[in-house]
């Protein structure tokens, strides 16, 4: 089903409903649109964060200790 066909079918159904039910459909459409926008925004933010160098230090483990720092060595 194409988007245009969905729109036409929905408009036909809305035109047959009483006003208070049409308002409910409008509110639901607003809710869905806001949810879609929030998901889109969250994905955009995740993309920006993953591409930035802000947290690049977490990818690299710095060698702060070596074998020479051990006080006691245990062998199996």
């Amino acid at each position: 089903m194409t988007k245009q066909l969905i729109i036409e079918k929905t408009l036909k159904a809305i035109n047959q409903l009483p006003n208070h039910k049409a308002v409910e459909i409008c509110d639901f459409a607003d809710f869905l649109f806001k949810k879609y926008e929030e998901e889109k925004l969250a994905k955009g933010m995740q993309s920006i964060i993953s591409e930035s160098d802000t947290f690049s230090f977490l990818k690299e483990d710095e060698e702060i200790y070596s074998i020479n720092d051990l006080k006691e060595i245990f062998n199996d």
Side-chain angles (χ1 to χ4, degrees):
M1 191 178 297
T2 67
K3 187 174 183 176
Q4 187 61 37
L5 188 59
I6 294 168
I7 291 169
E8 290 172 10
K9 185 177 177 182
T10 305
L11 286 174
K12 183 178 178 184
I14 291 171
N15 285 330
Q16 294 175 354
L17 291 172
N19 193 38
H20 68 281
K21 293 293 183 182
V23 170
E24 286 183 34
I25 293 173
C26 181
D27 291 343
F28 184 66
D30 285 340
F31 165 76
L32 288 178
F33 182 73
K34 288 176 185 174
K35 185 177 174 183
Y36 170 75
E37 286 290 308
E38 288 173 3
E39 289 172 359
K40 194 170 146 182
L41 179 63
K43 285 180 183 178
M45 289 171 51
Q46 287 174 349
S47 174
I48 290 170
I49 290 170
S50 67
E51 293 172 4
S52 74
D53 290 332
T54 304
F55 297 105
S56 62
F57 69 93
L58 295 173
K59 296 177 184 175
E60 303 162 3
D61 287 335
E62 183 180 343
E63 290 287 329
I64 54 176
Y65 298 109
S66 70
I67 291 287
N68 297 330
D69 294 321
L70 293 175
K71 291 183 179 181
E72 191 173 334
I73 299 175
F74 296 94
N75 292 324
D76 289 333

